[in-house]
Amino acid sequence: MSSRPEIVGPEAGPEAPYPLRMEGKVIPGFGRGSKELGIPTANLPVDAALAPWIAAVPSGVYFGYAALALPDAHPGRPASAPAGGFAVFPMVMSIGYNPFYRNAVRSAEVHVLHAFAADFYGAHMRLLLLGFIREEKDYKSLDALVDDINFDCEVARRSLAREAWRPEAASAESAAWLVEPL
Ligand code: ADP
Ligand code: RBF
Ligand code: MG
């Protein structure tokens, strides 16, 4: 899908309706082996009470930051993260029905752009959505889906690498919320 832009969102930083927030504990997903494809996705419950905006946004691919409260013993917890505190990573996520799999319920799944040495089911995750990459699609093959997701990861990385898209620059208030102790 090289015909898509490699960077999305204005140079000056996120614009309305972003930033959007959502949080919850990582739950088991559909168990379709996303991990085996190299794109594990941390699933969050879609709770309209916690994130009222979610019913109103289009299904598709979003990007921004994920804050994870990893247990102190988790091998992936950065040395810089305070005990029991949140560590922040760039992320790309899918909100929708996954037409390729014809899901009946809307799911929210996050691929964190970081290589973790262990799973983190049950961890509290906060999400700051800063922009939209594309609408969700159906695919002829799993390979085509995976290629598109890998391109989404590249778009998210590049888009977030800009100065105005650092969490603090995008929204000081939301950046503080991301790492607020539980
Ligand atoms: P499931 O169907 O249960 O969601 P996945 O194959 O999608 O299974 O794997 C998701 C799990 O992998 C997450 O819940 C998390 O514990 C772990 N994981 C490891 N690395 C990552 C990552 N970079 N991004 C998201 N989840 C990851
Ligand atoms: N599923 C779809 O059916 N269509 C999509 O367009 C789609 N886009 C995705 C984009 C990203 C960034 C991610 C993380 C997932 C996406 N998915 C999509 C969900 C995908 O089907 C799911 O993660 C599977 O578990 C991958 O095997
Ligand atoms: Mg998953």
Side-chain angles (χ1 to χ4, degrees), residues 29-30 34 40-43 109:
F30 298 99
S34 312
T41 61
N43 293 61
E109 42 180 320

Side-chain angles (χ1 to χ4, degrees), residues 30-35 37 39-41 60-62 92-95 97-103 107 109-111 133-139 142 145-146 148-150 152-153:
F30 298 99
R32 284 183 187 130
S34 312
K35 207 175 287 167
L37 301 173
I39 38 170
T41 61
V61 182
Y62 294 80
V92 63
M93 75 180 291
S94 155
I95 297 177
Y97 296 95
N98 299 4
F100 184 73
Y101 292 101
R102 312 223 179 292
N103 291 346
S107 63
E109 42 180 320
V110 178
H111 177 59
I133 298 182
R134 64 174 175 88
E135 297 195 337
E136 83 177 336
K137 283 175 55 182
D138 200 354
Y139 291 89
L142 185 58
L145 169 65
V146 170
D148 243 7
I149 295 177
N150 284 326
D152 296 329
C153 295

Side-chain angles (χ1 to χ4, degrees), residues 6-181:
E6 291 182 7
I7 291 194
V8 300
E11 201 62 31
E15 56 187 7
Y18 307 101
L20 294 170
R21 299 175 186 183
M22 154 170 197
E23 67 182 309
K25 291 202 186 309
V26 176
I27 54 172
F30 298 99
R32 284 183 187 130
S34 312
K35 207 175 287 167
E36 286 70 32
L37 301 173
I39 38 170
T41 61
N43 293 61
L44 276 188
V46 175
D47 187 337
L50 282 174
W53 52 266
I54 204 164
V57 300
S59 291
V61 182
Y62 294 80
F63 70 101
Y65 293 95
L68 267 173
L70 296 172
D72 292 351
H74 193 281
R77 206 173 69 86
S80 58
F86 284 89
V88 179
F89 306 93
M91 65 85 182
V92 63
M93 75 180 291
S94 155
I95 297 177
Y97 296 95
N98 299 4
F100 184 73
Y101 292 101
R102 312 223 179 292
N103 291 346
V105 293
R106 211 153 182 245
S107 63
E109 42 180 320
V110 178
H111 177 59
V112 184
L113 296 170
H114 180 82
F116 291 94
D119 288 347
F120 44 85
Y121 289 106
H124 195 94
M125 183 161 73
R126 292 198 184 121
L127 300 177
L128 194 61
L129 282 69
L130 296 183
F132 180 78
I133 298 182
R134 64 174 175 88
E135 297 195 337
E136 83 177 336
K137 283 175 55 182
D138 200 354
Y139 291 89
K140 293 212 170 69
S141 69
L142 185 58
D143 272 0
L145 169 65
V146 170
D147 282 353
D148 243 7
I149 295 177
N150 284 326
F151 193 85
D152 296 329
C153 295
E154 229 18 74
V155 173
R157 274 185 210 286
R158 289 171 193 256
S159 301
L160 293 170
R162 296 171 294 175
E163 173 64 22
W165 291 74
R166 289 181 299 112
E168 299 74 18
S171 163
E173 193 195 332
S174 293
W177 168 78
L178 268 180
V179 297
E180 213 166 80

